[in-house]
Structures are given as C-alpha cells and as structure tokens.
Amino acid sequence: MSDARRVMAITGAGGTLGAALSAHFVGEPDTDVVLSDVSAPSLEATVNGLPAGGSVETLLADVSEIAQVEAVVDLAVQRFGRLDVLISNVGILSPNGRIHNLTTEDWERALRVNVLGAVNNIRAAVGVMRAQKSGSIVLTASVAGMTAWSHAAPYCATKAAVIQLAKVAAVEYARDGIRVNCVCPGTFLSGIHDDLPQEAIDAIAAKHPLGLGAAADLIGAYSYLASAASRWTTGSAIVVDGGYAAP
Ligand SMILES: NC(=O)c1ccc[n+]([C@@H]2O[C@H](COP(=O)([O-])OP(=O)(O)OC[C@H]3O[C@@H](n4cnc5c(N)ncnc54)[C@H](O)[C@@H]3O)[C@@H](O)[C@H]2O)c1
C-alpha cells in the first residue's frame, strides 16, 4: 500500500452498504476513490450523501461485464495513478423458491452478478496490483454463504462461492503482494428487503442475538481490510453478523 495517498475503487457503490462505505472512505484523509454502480439513480444517491471536499470519480459499470470493471480500474489508474484497494460490494438476492421451482434464468442471473461479478473485480484489480506488487481486494459475501437458508439456494450457493473465491485468490496472489479477503455480513435492512413482509423481517431479526444490524456496523471490517493494519490477513472471511452464525 502506498505511503502517501491511498487509491480505492468500490463497485456496487449504490445501495445501502455501498453508500455507507463510500461516505466513510471518501471522508478519510489522503484517500482517492472511484465509485461505480450499474444503476445511475443509485450511484447519484450515493454521491449526494458524500462528505464535501472528497477526491472522487464515478463511473457506471455492470460487474458481470469484464470490460466495464476494467474501465473502473483504468479510471482509478488514469486519474489517481494506482489502485491500492478494491471493494467488490455487488450482490443480488435470488427469487424466493425451492431449488426445483427456480428457473435456469434465476440461477444464471445470481451466478453472473454474484460470482462472475466478484471474479471480474479480481481479474481487473490484479492487472494493476501485480505490477505494483501490492493491493487489497475485499469481496462482500454473506453469512448466507456459510449457513443454509431455505428457499434461497442461488443466493447461498453464490455467496459460498465468493468466500471460496477469496481464499483461492489469496493463495494465488500472495506472492504478488496482493491480499484477498471477504466480509460476511448478517442482516442489515436495505433495498434487498423491500419486498419482504414485516413478519419475515421479524423472523430474521429473531435469529440475530444482537438484533438486526445497520450498514454502519460493517464499516469497521472494511476499514481494517483497506488498511495496513490487515497486512498479515488474507484468505479470511470476516463475519460481522450480530451473532447470527454463532449457534
Ligand atoms: N442487506 C443485507 O442484509 C446483506 C447481508 C449480507 C450480505 N449483503 C451483501 O452486501 C452487499 C450490499 O448489499 P445491500 O444490502 O447494500 O444491497 P443494495 O441492493 O442496497 O445494493 C446493491 C447495489 O448493487 C448494485 N448492483 C446490482 N447489480 C449490479 C451489477 N450487475 N453491476 C453493478 N452494480 C450492481 C445495485 O444497483 C445496488 O446499488 C451485497 O453483496 C449483498 O449481497 C447484504
């Protein structure tokens, strides 16, 4: 990681967690940030919530398209000269249904966004970070990748894949000075819960010993992984879940 300024990129910077991460890191001293999302309104909402005076660039990009993720990384390099930290934050829930009731399209969509999206983030970032011989890549997984949620197989399976992807990438790129980790949040209310009835939210909350979290509760884990304090941490899945996965 650079001794001077830190250059970061966040994909999936729209939405609840993306907005919280963006506001936090843009407000950090000596930090340049590229923010990206597939949705213009979501990205605009994030930008509107940023602290004043930050060093920020934005770009619309679909993480399931490698050329678009490479464009995000290219923007960081062209504008700020390097890329120290990439946070891959995109994730979509799958439709509610048992495995035999979900369609091939349901599976392909979850795989393309949640798995291929994370792969594309790694592919794009290591192109720059290998040349620098340093970098930290942080993937957003979920406790859904380590516990079984009935009627949510594509989400659980793709988040498990993200955890495993971080481990394999950590082993593959350690010699290049690149660390790869993931964060596994428990449930914090966000746009992905918009269609859920209150009874369902209450049932999810009851499974979290500390209750539901908020996006702000995740900042510490990302902050650690984006800093030199985590220089000996790689291949880890950092669980921040109010105790959900403990039983
Ligand atoms: N909310 C939770 O309880 C929870 C729990 C565990 C993990 N997570 C994970 O945290 C991350 C953020 O979730 P959130 O709750 O803030 O969700 P959100 O829906 O509020 O935000 C997700 C963002 O991803 C963007 N996006 C979707 N598809 C994209 C694509 N193909 N390319 C680029 N951007 C795309 C959306 O436009 C949106 O801005 C996700 O990876 C999610 O799976 C969330």
Side-chain angles (χ1 to χ4, degrees):
M1 211 166 283
S2 166
D3 290 335
R5 294 188 70 82
R6 174 176 57 170
V7 180
M8 302 183 59
I10 304 175
T11 58
T16 304
L17 181 54
L21 292 170
S22 300
H24 172 77
F25 287 114
V26 167
E28 290 270 278
D30 302 322
T31 303
D32 306 306
V33 189
V34 175
L35 302 176
S36 171
D37 198 278
V38 74
S39 158
S42 293
L43 191 55
E44 193 182 335
T46 288
V47 169
N48 289 340
L50 295 177
S55 171
V56 189
E57 294 285 339
T58 61
L59 187 66
L60 290 175
D62 181 340
V63 293
S64 63
E65 299 291 340
I66 181 65
Q68 295 187 31
V69 189
E70 285 172 344
V72 173
V73 171
D74 287 349
L75 178 60
V77 174
Q78 284 161 16
R79 181 68 183 79
F80 302 122
R82 55 189 290 121
L83 180 67
D84 298 304
V85 180
L86 176 72
I87 296 178
S88 168
N89 183 55
V90 173
I92 55 168
L93 275 182
S94 44
N96 202 39
R98 290 168 71 192
I99 292 166
H100 67 277
N101 287 327
L102 295 169
T103 66
T104 300
E105 289 70 31
D106 293 333
W107 281 96
E108 284 176 345
R109 190 164 143 67
L111 287 162
R112 273 190 71 76
V113 176
N114 293 355
V115 182
L116 187 59
V119 170
N120 286 341
N121 273 274
I122 293 171
R123 285 179 66 191
V126 298
V128 173
M129 291 175 174
R130 289 181 70 206
Q132 294 171 178
K133 296 248 170 275
S134 69
S136 173
I137 298 172
V138 186
L139 309 178
T140 298
S142 170
V143 288
M146 47 183 60
T147 59
W149 294 5
S150 182
H151 295 68
Y155 189 67
C156 290
T158 55
K159 288 300 186 176
V162 171
I163 294 169
Q164 187 66 0
L165 181 65
K167 291 184 187 182
V168 175
V171 171
E172 286 191 8
Y173 296 110
R175 76 187 69 169
D176 296 307
I178 302 168
R179 298 181 296 103
V180 188
N181 295 282
C182 64
V183 177
C184 299
T187 299
F188 55 94
L189 290 184
S190 77
I192 66 177
H193 304 106
D194 280 350
D195 296 334
L196 288 187
Q198 189 58 44
E199 308 89 87
I201 305 252
D202 291 344
I204 296 169
K207 291 183 178 171
H208 290 69
L210 293 180
L212 294 180
D217 296 319
L218 279 313
I219 299 293
Y222 288 89
S223 192
Y224 168 68
L225 293 173
S227 78
S230 62
R231 64 181 180 267
W232 205 48
T233 301
T234 198
S236 289
I238 298 185
V239 177
V240 185
D241 70 345
Y244 178 90

